[in-house]
Amino acid sequence: MRRSSLNPGTRYLARGLNDKNEPANEIECELIFSRDKDFWIQRWRRGSAPIRWNTTLSTAFSKPIHTAGERFFNGTAEYFKKLLNRYGNDTLIRCFSLLESGEHKSERDIHDKFKESISMLQKGGMENVTYNPFDLNFYLHYGGTFAAFNKLKEAVTPYLENDGFLTGTFPNNISNTQKGLIRFNCADSLDRANLATFFYSLVVVEKWIKENEGRIDHSVPKNSNGVENNTE
């Protein structure tokens, strides 16, 4: 993981975009697989919703109120342009919003404004950025962890199948690039983003194993004396 130092912070303090158009708690995640001289890389990102919004608390024990600013879209296009500059202008960026979307939920306003922001990007010509709502708390509450994992797997698998891995051979020969990039966001880029990142990494590992089953060495490892280690 590569954690950005441009807008870090704790819960309720780091929110959305700052004056540098950097989202709170932004992290680039990467899984690297290798076999002999070949390597496979899958990247994704996580962070706070990349619009301008904040949280207010009337007392230390009151329910937080999340609201988007009047200029909520200010800086959003600049942020996604930076992503395209990093990964390539043809990269497909799939935004998975983990925010609660229920009518009376406290995150509903930023959920709606982020969705509107992506629509504004697309109308402005940035059509390779898409919005995918995924209310993770809803699935956890009504189905449990395993059901939430299966729902997320179902949602991300078509993109993963299309985007594939960045592949090549050591030391630095690239044969294929990753076509798309998934970005998870919740409010703080803490609890739900952590869980979604863990779930997604499991899906990525499963895909790599299935595609490379014939190349995996299933032999029993030997100890320093050349004798097979027996764990039975």
Side-chain angles (χ1 to χ4, degrees):
M1 289 186 177
R2 301 180 183 92
R3 183 183 298 273
S4 173
S5 61
L6 298 176
N7 190 6
T10 57
R11 193 182 307 275
Y12 302 143
L13 296 180
R15 284 289 189 260
L17 295 174
N18 62 10
D19 292 338
K20 297 179 181 179
N21 300 325
E22 294 291 342
N25 298 320
E26 182 84 353
I27 299 175
E28 180 183 67
C29 307
E30 185 176 68
L31 273 177
I32 303 175
F33 307 87
S34 66
R35 184 68 179 168
D36 299 324
K37 293 184 178 181
D38 299 325
F39 63 81
W40 298 255
I41 298 174
Q42 169 66 211
R43 294 172 178 165
W44 67 98
R45 295 182 79 93
R46 48 172 286 193
S48 181
I51 60 174
R52 297 192 181 274
W53 63 280
N54 55 54
T55 298
T56 56
L57 290 168
S58 57
T59 69
F61 303 101
S62 63
K63 185 176 181 180
I65 301 175
H66 310 295
T67 54
E70 292 183 4
R71 302 176 63 190
F72 63 89
F73 185 67
N74 186 28
T76 300
E78 286 73 15
Y79 165 71
F80 283 104
K81 286 177 183 177
K82 283 188 283 189
L83 289 190
L84 294 174
N85 287 336
R86 178 171 178 81
Y87 299 105
N89 290 328
D90 294 331
T91 302
L92 304 170
I93 300 178
R94 296 71 152 74
C95 297
F96 271 80
S97 176
L98 310 176
L99 296 169
E100 293 180 312
S101 57
E103 183 178 356
H104 300 293
K105 295 294 184 179
S106 63
E107 296 175 346
R108 179 61 184 265
D109 185 48
I110 54 175
H111 168 276
D112 291 347
K113 292 299 192 299
F114 183 37
K115 180 180 179 180
E116 183 179 347
S117 294
I118 300 301
S119 178
M120 293 168 69
L121 286 178
Q122 295 171 343
K123 291 178 181 178
M126 202 177 292
E127 297 180 354
N128 51 340
V129 180
T130 58
Y131 177 82
N132 302 271
F134 190 88
D135 188 341
L136 183 56
N137 277 347
F138 174 86
Y139 295 113
L140 289 170
H141 181 76
Y142 290 101
T145 303
F146 189 67
F149 167 74
N150 282 329
K151 282 292 185 180
L152 184 68
K153 179 181 178 180
E154 179 183 329
V156 300
T157 293
Y159 297 121
L160 181 58
E161 291 297 327
N162 178 79
D163 300 341
F165 295 90
L166 184 152
T167 62
T169 56
F170 292 111
N172 56 4
N173 298 311
I174 305 297
S175 55
N176 292 291
T177 59
Q178 184 177 320
K179 297 178 183 178
L181 180 82
I182 285 179
R183 184 188 188 275
F184 295 108
N185 77 267
C186 58
D188 312 278
S189 184
L190 296 175
D191 303 332
R192 282 168 290 175
N194 282 339
L195 186 58
T197 288
F198 174 65
F199 284 170
Y200 185 66
S201 67
L202 294 179
V203 179
V204 172
V205 170
E206 180 185 31
K207 174 178 172 59
W208 185 86
I209 290 175
K210 286 182 177 179
E211 292 183 354
N212 294 276
E213 176 65 23
R215 305 181 52 153
I216 298 176
D217 185 1
H218 295 283
S219 60
V220 178
K222 297 180 180 180
N223 61 26
S224 59
N225 297 320
V227 179
E228 290 185 352
N229 291 318
N230 191 344
T231 59
E232 297 181 355

